Amino acid sequence: MSDEEFEDLRPLLFSIAYRILGSVSEAEDAVQETWLRYHASSTVPISLKSFLSAVVTRVSIDVLRSARVRRESYVGHWLPEPLLTDGEAATYPDPEHAAELADSLSMAALLLLERLSPEQRAVFVLHDVFAFPFSEIAEVIGKSDVACRQLASRARRLMEDGRPRFDVDRREREELAARFFDALTVGDVDELRQLLAADVEVYGDGGGKAPQWMRVVVGLDNVARMFAGLGQRFAGSGLQVDRHEVNGQPGAVFRDASGRVINVLTLDVLDGRIQVIRSVINPDKLRHIGPVADAWAVLRQTSPSAGS
């Protein structure tokens, strides 16, 4: 296998691993391990795509089993590592399939996948997201076709119970997100109230390594005042808000005056309102995006007493 052949398949292998693991760094490691295992193998596969997909899935299942133990003792809310997906849909010629892939990448969908066992998660991702046949999946996880169909059915029921819904019109979502981030940066509480759902929720993930909301912030007024206050506090500090598509949904990367990453926000939009906001500020989950700021230091610099 040439480097070119592997690179052609790398996006698919990463996509499988990331959906199983919810971690960019672990998914990249799984893809690298797949490369190493293939070169150490004497197998000459009939289908390189099927062979490598099977290897990366097995590696990801093993990693997930140990990762789940670590997540049980995680400080605060655990959120997936954010993935910048600007332009990803353009790589899929079928718009409907592109939308399905984007939805399966959303923070909401990845959090639902956390409910599944590693095997259920792998079967669901391979079959329901990437349309691998059960005959191939059975070989991957070492179970019969019937057992794989049962795993898929159980996984599907668990996913359907909380399946996220999003506004379909991408342009409307982006326009709403633009208004939200503009209002946030100037601390416009009235404008924020116009954009948020009555029961909007905010989740923060600092992992105990950065400032974070330890509890879910709920309700239009609470959330509007909180973000307006943050905007007013950071006014004039050189805070940069770079809008991106994050995990297939509207979002932004917040940077300090020198361009270092502070946190990443994603927005779930439904019925023309922002329903859920997720903030990932744990520095360990942001390093793949760029150099990371010391969020505690940034917060101190913008405190009311900083300039006194």
Side-chain angles (χ1 to χ4, degrees):
M1 177 182 65
S2 66
D3 290 352
E4 290 78 9
E5 289 176 303
F6 185 85
E7 289 305 317
D8 286 343
L9 289 168
R10 181 184 288 275
L12 171 64
L13 302 179
F14 175 83
S15 295
I16 292 171
Y18 178 71
R19 285 169 172 84
I20 293 175
L21 294 167
S23 165
V24 174
S25 55
E26 289 175 349
E28 290 174 342
D29 288 345
V31 173
Q32 182 62 23
E33 178 65 19
T34 297
W35 166 262
L36 295 174
R37 289 192 184 187
Y38 177 73
H39 275 278
S41 171
S42 59
T43 302
V44 180
I46 297 174
S47 168
L48 188 59
K49 173 186 172 182
S50 296
F51 180 85
L52 293 177
S53 298
V55 174
V56 81
T57 299
R58 293 191 191 107
V59 171
S60 298
I61 289 174
D62 290 342
V63 173
L64 181 60
R65 288 193 174 112
S66 61
R68 287 166 73 94
V69 175
R70 295 194 303 273
R71 290 171 192 177
E72 289 174 359
S73 59
Y74 194 78
V75 177
H77 294 285
W78 180 90
L79 294 175
E81 287 185 13
L83 180 66
L84 305 188
T85 52
D86 304 85
E88 180 177 280
T91 63
Y92 300 101
D94 179 357
E96 184 175 345
H97 186 48
E100 291 175 357
L101 285 170
D103 285 353
S104 72
L105 266 180
S106 71
M107 290 275 188
L110 293 175
L111 287 168
L112 280 176
L113 283 169
E114 285 290 304
R115 300 180 181 181
L116 309 182
S117 70
E119 288 182 341
Q120 287 175 331
R121 192 161 178 165
V123 171
F124 181 86
V125 168
L126 289 176
H127 184 266
D128 284 43
V129 178
F130 292 102
F132 279 77
F134 283 117
S135 57
E136 289 187 18
I137 298 172
E139 293 183 12
V140 172
I141 65 172
K143 293 186 179 293
S144 67
D145 284 24
V146 172
C148 287
R149 291 177 188 275
Q150 291 173 341
L151 285 170
S153 178
R154 295 190 195 107
R156 207 171 293 122
R157 285 198 300 271
L158 289 168
M159 293 293 289
E160 287 293 340
D161 285 344
R163 182 175 294 276
R165 295 186 300 121
F166 307 106
D167 280 354
V168 175
D169 192 308
R170 178 184 294 269
R171 186 175 64 180
E172 290 182 3
R173 287 187 304 183
E174 292 300 324
E175 289 175 352
L176 183 67
R179 289 176 59 193
F180 171 80
F181 289 116
D182 286 345
L184 186 160
T185 53
V186 297
D188 188 339
V189 68
D190 292 330
E191 174 70 358
L192 288 169
R193 285 194 180 101
Q194 297 297 317
L195 306 174
L196 302 171
D199 56 351
V200 61
E201 298 177 330
V202 180
Y203 296 85
D205 177 349
K209 300 182 178 183
Q212 68 186 86
W213 301 292
M214 294 301 293
R215 296 182 180 179
V216 183
V217 183
V218 181
L220 186 153
D221 286 335
N222 290 334
V223 174
R225 286 197 301 267
M226 180 180 72
F227 278 109
L230 287 172
Q232 293 164 5
R233 180 171 184 170
F234 282 94
S237 68
L239 178 73
Q240 304 172 41
V241 182
D242 297 335
R243 289 182 51 221
H244 287 276
E245 181 183 274
V246 181
N247 289 79
Q249 306 303 320
V253 177
F254 287 70
R255 302 176 186 272
D256 67 8
S258 62
R260 293 172 299 180
V261 179
I262 301 172
N263 77 326
V264 174
L265 249 62
T266 66
L267 311 177
D268 288 359
V269 178
L270 181 64
D271 298 329
R273 293 289 185 273
I274 296 169
Q275 306 286 334
V276 181
I277 302 171
R278 297 182 178 87
S279 169
V280 179
I281 197 169
N282 182 342
D284 294 342
K285 295 186 176 185
L286 302 175
R287 301 191 195 284
H288 62 282
I289 296 174
V292 179
D294 179 345
W296 289 111
V298 172
L299 197 63
R300 288 193 297 271
Q301 291 166 6
T302 59
S303 66
S305 60
S308 61

